Amino acid sequence: MTVGVEVESFDPEHATDDDLRGYYQVMLARQETDRPDIPRLTYEDVLGRLKNPFVGFGPVAYWVARLNGELVGLAIVYFMEEESSHIGLTEVIVHPRVRRRSIGATMLQAILPELRARGRTFVETWQITEGSDGERFANALGFHTAHTVLSQALVISETDSALWQQSVPPGYRVQQWTDAAPDDLVASFAKAFTAMQDAPTGDLGFGEPVWNARRVRAHEAELRQNNVELRVVVAVHEDTGDIAGLTQLELHPHRPYWAFQRDTAVLPAHRGHGLGRCIKAYMIRWLLADRPDLDRINTTTGAANAHMIRVNHQLGYRTARTMIAVNRDLAELEADLGARCSASTQ
Ligand SMILES: CC(C)(COP(=O)(O)OP(=O)(O)OC[C@H]1O[C@@H](n2cnc3c(N)ncnc32)[C@H](O)[C@@H]1OP(=O)(O)O)[C@@H](O)C(=O)NCCC(=O)NCCS
């Protein structure tokens, strides 16, 4: 263990300006080192994310590590709910200047009791840049690589808008809404979400939610409470009136010039007609009509999901980076970290 490292919980609401600046410096250095494709993070971006944590992943908690008093590391844990309530979705970040001094391992060890206290049995991390320090750290601590994901971005100013002119396949119509599904479509919308079960997710512990109208309404309400704008485009099958395909996008309050493309799914009976490409293209056209100053749309897609990756490329998305998701049983991790700690103090 590194002498002089202290780990403590961090409450962004009551943090000092110095600590918020320190938090920003760690985030910025991580972005420049591990995610250089992302435009430089501003202080406002990072504070904005602290005020507006991701919605739908459960309550979040933060910790910081100080080395001789200076904030040099942080940990963010989302306590996932429902099908995934065994998971602590965990991210540990150490400033590149002080890596390889056991700060990451010390932080992880310090936060595990809280994960256990909140009923977690599994530690999972989703977005580690392939080939980075993060991957080597995860391997060294016995994490299992559960899934590989591509981070893709559509940079509006660099893309030919002709790519988004996609016609609607015969037999379908396209419908759009913001924030809440129309009452007459909400049940069909929840049912269409079952197609997300077919998206490859490797060995993730994360359990794809089983959607129904009540859960759709609860999710919509949570997004509204957090000032996230939800946009949905669906393809409706004319003969039955059922939703055949859907795509969702979020606009977060602190970063109005970025959009987050979320789930896209087409039910098996309707695949192969270009519906996925059609509704995603429609989403882009609709968004840009209202938000002409939008800089980019970000998305992540399973590396094994050849169809979705091809659709994204056809629409002008470019793959920015490959990321891995890792996980490990909490009790095993605790035992290994404990052994590591006692070995280093002998
Ligand atoms: C991952 C990260 C938090 C590790 O922080 P750290 O303080 O450097 O990690 P530690 O010093 O505690 O490393 C613990 C062990 O992991 C292994 N390890 C860590 N980084 C490594 C690297 N770059 N190369 C090889 N092994 C590495 C080593 O075995 C190390 O023990 P050792 O130094 O005694 O040999 C840091 O690299 C980081 O912030 N990366 C970006 C964020 C990220 O990817 N997080 C994913 C983890 S949730």
Side-chain angles (χ1 to χ4, degrees):
M1 299 288 117
T2 300
V3 177
V5 176
E6 280 172 14
V7 179
E8 62 187 28
S9 72
F10 180 68
D11 175 2
E13 296 252 333
H14 299 102
T16 64
D17 283 350
D18 277 357
D19 272 358
L20 291 172
R21 286 268 159 209
Y23 185 100
Y24 167 62
Q25 291 302 336
V26 174
M27 284 301 238
L28 177 63
R30 188 279 289 268
Q31 178 246 304
E32 289 174 336
T33 307
D34 304 303
R35 301 177 175 181
D37 55 280
I38 297 180
R40 185 184 159 87
L41 285 178
T42 65
Y43 183 55
E44 290 68 34
D45 283 333
V46 172
L47 280 198
R49 175 58 69 214
L50 277 172
K51 284 205 187 88
N52 304 286
F54 287 103
V55 174
F57 298 98
V60 60
Y62 304 89
W63 288 260
V64 293
R66 297 179 200 280
L67 180 61
N68 301 323
E70 184 194 353
L71 197 159
V72 292
L74 49 104
I76 307 167
V77 179
Y78 283 87
F79 292 90
M80 303 189 83
E81 295 172 310
E82 309 256 7
E83 289 85 355
S84 300
S85 56
H86 58 302
I87 296 179
L89 188 62
T90 303
E91 198 173 15
V92 177
I93 304 173
V94 172
H95 196 295
R97 195 163 32 81
V98 293
R99 288 183 184 171
R100 299 302 302 274
R101 296 206 215 166
S102 294
I103 297 172
T106 303
M107 287 199 87
L108 200 50
Q109 190 180 21
I111 69 177
L112 291 184
E114 179 68 15
L115 270 72
R116 180 178 279 287
R118 296 215 208 174
R120 309 292 135 164
T121 54
F122 214 55
V123 183
E124 190 155 280
T125 302
W126 283 354
Q127 302 206 342
I128 302 179
T129 302
E130 190 180 54
S132 71
D133 288 341
E135 181 171 8
R136 291 184 278 274
F137 172 79
N139 286 339
L141 297 189
F143 280 88
H144 159 69
T145 299
H147 191 38
T148 305
V149 165
L150 302 186
S151 169
Q152 299 185 299
L154 179 73
V155 180
I156 305 301
S157 62
E158 295 172 5
T159 310
D160 179 359
S161 60
L163 297 178
W164 311 324
Q165 304 306 320
Q166 304 283 338
S167 54
V168 182
Y172 299 91
R173 69 183 153 79
V174 170
Q175 195 165 335
Q176 71 196 55
W177 64 78
T178 307
D179 297 336
D183 285 339
D184 61 331
L185 281 179
V186 66
S188 176
F189 181 61
K191 202 165 154 224
F193 252 108
T194 55
M196 281 309 293
Q197 307 279 357
D198 297 341
T201 52
D203 294 334
L204 286 185
F206 170 73
E208 190 60 49
V210 178
W211 290 98
N212 54 36
R214 180 191 57 77
R215 281 182 83 170
V216 168
R217 290 297 184 225
H219 184 61
E220 291 169 347
E222 198 185 353
L223 289 168
R224 258 196 317 275
Q225 276 153 20
N226 288 279
N227 299 314
V228 175
E229 182 179 322
L230 172 70
R231 291 188 177 220
V232 178
V233 175
V234 296
V236 179
H237 184 227
E238 299 272 27
D239 282 353
T240 57
D242 289 341
I243 290 178
L246 61 91
T247 189
Q248 303 203 102
L249 179 142
E250 289 176 11
L251 290 158
H252 294 188
H254 65 291
R255 227 182 237 171
Y257 43 89
W258 281 19
F260 295 85
Q261 170 66 59
R262 298 291 193 209
D263 296 344
T264 300
V266 174
L267 282 165
H270 302 278
R271 290 179 188 159
H273 304 304
L275 276 181
R277 190 172 57 230
C278 156
I279 53 181
K280 276 191 134 166
Y282 187 100
M283 176 69 89
I284 298 166
R285 296 201 305 275
W286 174 30
L287 189 59
L288 290 178
D290 298 345
R291 303 274 189 130
D293 55 345
L294 195 81
D295 176 59
R296 63 183 56 218
I297 307 177
N298 293 313
T299 196
T300 53
T301 309
N305 198 338
H307 298 304
M308 195 77 274
I309 292 167
R310 195 172 64 251
V311 165
N312 288 346
H313 283 149
Q314 287 168 340
L315 295 172
Y317 280 86
R318 290 197 206 128
T319 299
R321 130 179 61 91
T322 302
M323 292 182 300
I324 57 163
V326 302
N327 53 34
R328 195 166 185 207
D329 177 80
L330 183 135
E332 287 179 17
L333 183 60
E334 263 178 339
D336 273 8
L337 282 169
R340 206 184 136 82
C341 174
S342 49
S344 70
T345 50
Q346 274 163 20

